[in-house]
Amino acid sequence: HAKKFGGNRVEFFRPGMRSQQTDRLALETDLRRALERGEIKPVFQPIVRLEDRTIAGFEALLRWDHPRFGRLNPADFIPIAEETGLIIDLGIFVLERTARELAAWQRALDVTPPIFASVNVSSRQLLRHDLLNDVKAVMTRSGVHRGTLKLELTESLVMENPEYATQILQRIRELGAGLALDDFGTGHSSLAYLQRFPFDTIKIDKSFVRPDARGARPTILRSIVSLAHDLGMEVVAEGAETESDTIELYQLGCEYAQGYAFGQPISALEARKLVGAPPEEPVARAS
Ligand code: C2E
Ligand code: MG
Ligand code: MG
Ligand code: MG
């Protein structure tokens, strides 16, 4: 196996493409060790408050610095992690790591409301694992402000089992975590459920935010913003790439925006610099 998968494989492996069976197998094996080796870590993308363009929070996004393939995006390994169950360990890792950074940002920045961080959650974590306990442990240990550690879940995820999801999400809210409905507009959620789910934030998917080929912004964008506000939720627009995106999103009443207009995801160290927090203590490397 080692021979077959070695050396020149990098020539035909293209991250983001649907990988071949052999790539998958290699990645699956590697993934088991990647966490222990410190190859996987979150990067943090700023979420900006449109009113004054200050940093309101960050979203944690996983990256895998693979020794042979270079930097891999979530699309290259999250599906494998979900299928193999490794997503549970990955999920706990990113929660803990993000809460630790959030605590450091909050110590450095004394602002009201306090800075927040959001972490993506996958189906398996919510529906087939004790997510509640993970969140509880992390919230207690990190000492972050109530409501500032947020979980992002997609519509399709919560609609897999809406009754159960509602119950668990309610309890997660009671623990003091925030809840954001991610990629809103790409799934099929029913209005009835939307009202019952205890989300505090809707993240509008970038496909509704970006103008189309003729330069027109989807008309439904305005309706989504009103719907969210009618339901008492705040709005984050994803994929704000240009100044005109930013201006229009503000005019439409979105509270926050996230996208290349404000910056790509950055390392934990860079995020600390940005908010004026001291760099982390050097961590002993596993031998
Ligand atoms: P998402 O949660 O919707 O994250 C937003 C994605 O849009 C990120 O891609 C981000 O880099 C990208 N993005 C940000 N600004 C812009 C922009 O202005 N234009 C465009 N075109 N794209 C932008 P990324 O990092 O590749 O993550 C993809 C997805 O992977 C995430 O989508 C999320 O669903 C999943 N993911 C990331 N980290 C985790 C994790 O820790 N756990 C789980 N379960 N899923 C994760
Ligand atoms: Mg997200
Ligand atoms: Mg999203
Ligand atoms: Mg998205």
Side-chain angles (χ1 to χ4, degrees):
H1 272 72
K3 202 170 170 192
K4 188 174 169 194
F5 293 140
N8 61 359
R9 266 193 71 250
V10 72
E11 304 282 333
F12 58 85
F13 179 80
R14 295 223 268 120
M17 276 180 56
R18 183 153 285 283
S19 40
Q20 296 174 353
Q21 190 62 25
T22 48
D23 293 322
R24 263 194 94 87
L25 281 172
L27 285 183
E28 190 178 315
T29 313
D30 295 345
L31 192 55
R32 292 176 200 283
R33 288 182 292 253
L35 248 190
E36 317 162 9
R37 292 181 178 170
E39 294 168 10
I40 296 184
K41 47 183 125 29
V43 290
F44 299 93
Q45 187 176 37
I47 298 172
V48 170
R49 185 174 289 108
L50 285 170
E51 190 178 39
D52 55 8
R53 303 218 185 173
T54 55
I55 295 178
F58 288 94
E59 176 177 6
L61 297 159
L62 282 175
R63 295 292 180 265
W64 180 4
D65 288 317
H66 191 283
R68 282 172 297 158
F69 306 141
R71 178 157 282 203
L72 302 181
N73 286 320
D76 302 312
F77 62 93
I78 294 286
I80 303 174
E82 281 172 352
E83 280 165 39
T84 54
L86 290 166
I87 193 69
I88 301 300
D89 286 343
L90 266 184
I92 294 170
F93 165 76
V94 68
L95 257 181
E96 279 179 344
R97 192 61 224 276
T98 302
R100 172 147 60 91
E101 294 309 306
L102 177 59
W105 305 334
Q106 291 182 350
R107 280 193 298 270
L109 269 185
D110 186 20
V111 289
T112 314
I115 191 166
F116 64 81
S118 63
V119 174
N120 294 283
V121 166
S122 80
S123 157
R124 193 149 172 161
Q125 286 174 274
L126 181 77
L127 302 175
R128 286 155 66 189
H129 171 71
D130 194 1
L131 181 64
L132 199 67
N133 251 329
D134 296 346
V135 173
K136 196 176 191 169
V138 166
M139 297 268 315
T140 317
R141 235 175 298 153
S142 62
V144 298
H145 284 103
R146 210 180 156 76
T148 59
L149 184 64
K150 305 187 189 222
L151 305 182
E152 296 195 3
L153 302 99
T154 62
E155 280 172 283
S156 29
L157 191 168
V158 288
M159 289 308 292
E160 268 180 57
N161 191 340
E163 303 288 344
Y164 180 71
T166 308
Q167 282 181 39
I168 299 292
L169 293 181
Q170 195 60 56
R171 295 176 63 190
I172 289 177
R173 267 302 282 272
E174 285 159 13
L175 284 176
L179 292 172
L181 188 56
D182 203 358
D183 298 342
F184 185 76
T186 59
H188 319 269
S189 54
S190 90
L191 277 180
Y193 277 112
L194 205 52
Q195 255 190 92
R196 284 166 51 187
F197 291 134
F199 288 100
D200 52 76
T201 304
I202 277 185
K203 297 189 75 173
I204 305 180
D205 190 70
K206 48 184 165 279
S207 56
F208 295 97
V209 170
R210 303 284 312 143
D212 63 20
R214 284 168 297 146
R217 218 160 295 268
T219 40
I220 198 170
L221 181 58
R222 184 180 298 275
S223 320
I224 299 177
V225 176
S226 321
L227 174 69
H229 288 162
D230 288 346
L231 294 170
M233 303 183 205
E234 292 196 307
V235 176
V236 179
E238 298 187 319
E241 294 183 355
T242 65
E243 178 62 18
S244 67
D245 290 349
T246 307
I247 291 169
E248 282 181 54
L249 291 167
Y250 179 60
Q251 287 168 346
L252 282 171
C254 296
E255 281 82 9
Y256 310 99
Q258 176 181 359
Y260 303 149
F262 305 107
Q264 301 265 345
I266 54 179
S267 71
L269 188 64
E270 291 170 307
R272 284 192 183 214
K273 266 189 210 146
L274 203 57
V275 302
E280 69 174 325
E281 301 298 310
V283 179
R285 290 204 101 199
S287 53

